[in-house]
Amino acid sequence: MIDRRGVTADIRRKYNVALRPQWLNKCADHIKAELERQNTAASQPLHLEAQTRLVIEQLLHSDISESCFPTLTVDNNQVSKLPDGAGVLLQIQEIMDVGTSKHAMWEAIREKEDFEQRGIRPSYLPALEGEDNGVFTANTQATATQPPEASEDQGERKPKIPRSMLKLVLSDGCSRIHAIEQTPVPQLNVELPIGTKVIVQSGKILQPTGILCLDAQSIQVLGGTPAQYQQFTLRSRLENALRSERAAR
């Protein structure tokens, strides 16, 4: 069903990473079972491009330590370095805005969740027609049942999480490399799930720390949300950090 050698070579060409055979075997078995469940296994064999696409879907939602061999190298100063040449597949292990206070971000997240889940907007935003004290009334019940983004001008009126400069920890499953935005990267945002896969190109390295400077051309977000990281939402990570700061005082 899955041409393991062909798919491995194809993904190495695309992402400069080698798949672990044990993971690929499990992945192939899972894909076969899914196709059989959908009654498509008996159809014509999938061409290599389709096979690779199915494996990549599973790869994005895997933990990179389980699915891929390490790609980063460590120099004599114990600083991780990207391989030369094409971009390499890495996984976001941490992402945080270092230019905004954690408490301000936590407040913004709470207000954003109130808005998205219950239609409650913070007091600093002007009330919309049909609202009373920031809460939708019965006159706007039909509108309130729609996603907040569906209303006019909501893009400017809904609460937003402050955005300054992002710092990331990227992993190949074995080693880690720290990265920071040199200029804003539109694809990145502080709410990206832990475990998100990215393609990183070699860029400017700050010496002697080995921190990688990112811009819009040096990183591409592929996506993915490994199940084992779903509990580490931005809100939970901020709350843990704030508790640690209070305990250290």
Side-chain angles (χ1 to χ4, degrees):
M1 175 65 67
I2 296 295
D3 178 358
R4 289 161 172 77
R5 180 174 297 179
V7 167
T8 297
D10 202 13
I11 290 179
R12 185 189 288 272
R13 284 193 298 270
K14 291 177 183 291
Y15 299 146
N16 201 18
V17 70
L19 299 178
R20 293 184 182 272
Q22 303 93 323
W23 178 85
L24 183 56
N25 288 336
K26 293 179 181 179
C27 178
D29 291 342
H30 173 77
I31 291 172
K32 180 181 178 180
E34 283 296 304
L35 293 177
E36 289 176 346
R37 186 178 63 83
Q38 299 170 15
N39 295 321
T40 58
S43 61
Q44 292 184 348
L46 297 174
H47 52 78
L48 182 59
E49 182 181 352
Q51 294 179 39
T52 300
R53 186 167 60 249
L54 290 172
V55 172
I56 288 175
E57 289 177 4
Q58 300 301 314
L59 175 61
L60 296 182
H61 295 289
S62 72
D63 187 342
I64 198 169
S65 65
E66 299 175 353
S67 56
C68 302
F69 286 108
T71 53
L72 299 175
T73 57
V74 180
D75 63 18
N76 294 333
N77 296 320
Q78 299 302 306
V79 175
S80 297
K81 300 175 61 178
L82 291 170
D84 296 329
V88 62
L89 181 74
L90 296 174
Q91 176 174 285
I92 295 178
Q93 290 299 141
E94 181 59 75
I95 181 169
M96 189 58 65
D97 195 316
V98 295
T100 305
S101 76
K102 294 181 178 65
H103 188 268
M105 280 193 288
W106 180 83
E107 287 283 358
I109 290 170
R110 189 183 63 174
E111 291 165 351
K112 182 171 180 282
E113 290 177 352
D114 284 342
F115 176 76
E116 293 175 341
Q117 297 171 10
R118 298 188 292 276
I120 301 174
R121 295 186 302 110
S123 59
Y124 62 80
L125 291 178
L128 297 175
E129 183 180 354
E131 284 185 333
D132 182 17
N133 294 327
V135 182
F136 286 101
T137 64
N139 294 332
T140 56
Q141 183 175 2
T143 304
T145 57
Q146 299 175 0
E149 291 77 8
S151 300
E152 294 182 1
D153 299 328
Q154 293 285 37
E156 296 181 0
R157 290 176 176 263
K158 72 177 183 178
K160 295 183 178 179
I161 297 176
R163 175 71 156 85
S164 183
M165 182 172 63
L166 300 180
K167 184 176 181 179
L168 299 84
V169 178
L170 304 171
S171 173
D172 65 353
C174 181
S175 302
R176 297 186 174 194
I177 186 170
H178 292 260
I180 196 164
E181 285 182 314
Q182 185 174 27
T183 58
V185 179
Q187 288 191 11
L188 294 177
N189 72 80
V190 73
E191 292 186 279
L192 281 176
I194 301 301
T196 295
K197 303 300 184 296
V198 295
I199 298 294
V200 180
Q201 305 281 350
S202 294
K204 178 182 177 182
I205 302 292
L206 296 179
Q207 300 295 344
T209 60
I211 295 176
L212 175 67
C213 295
L214 299 175
D215 57 28
Q217 285 69 49
S218 61
I219 187 167
Q220 176 189 358
V221 176
L222 299 180
T225 310
Q228 55 266 58
Y229 295 118
Q230 290 179 2
Q231 60 181 312
F232 300 114
T233 62
L234 176 58
R235 180 167 183 167
S236 69
R237 289 183 285 123
L238 285 170
E239 290 173 347
N240 288 337
L242 290 170
R243 278 195 295 267
S244 298
E245 289 179 0
R246 286 195 296 267
R249 291 174 186 171

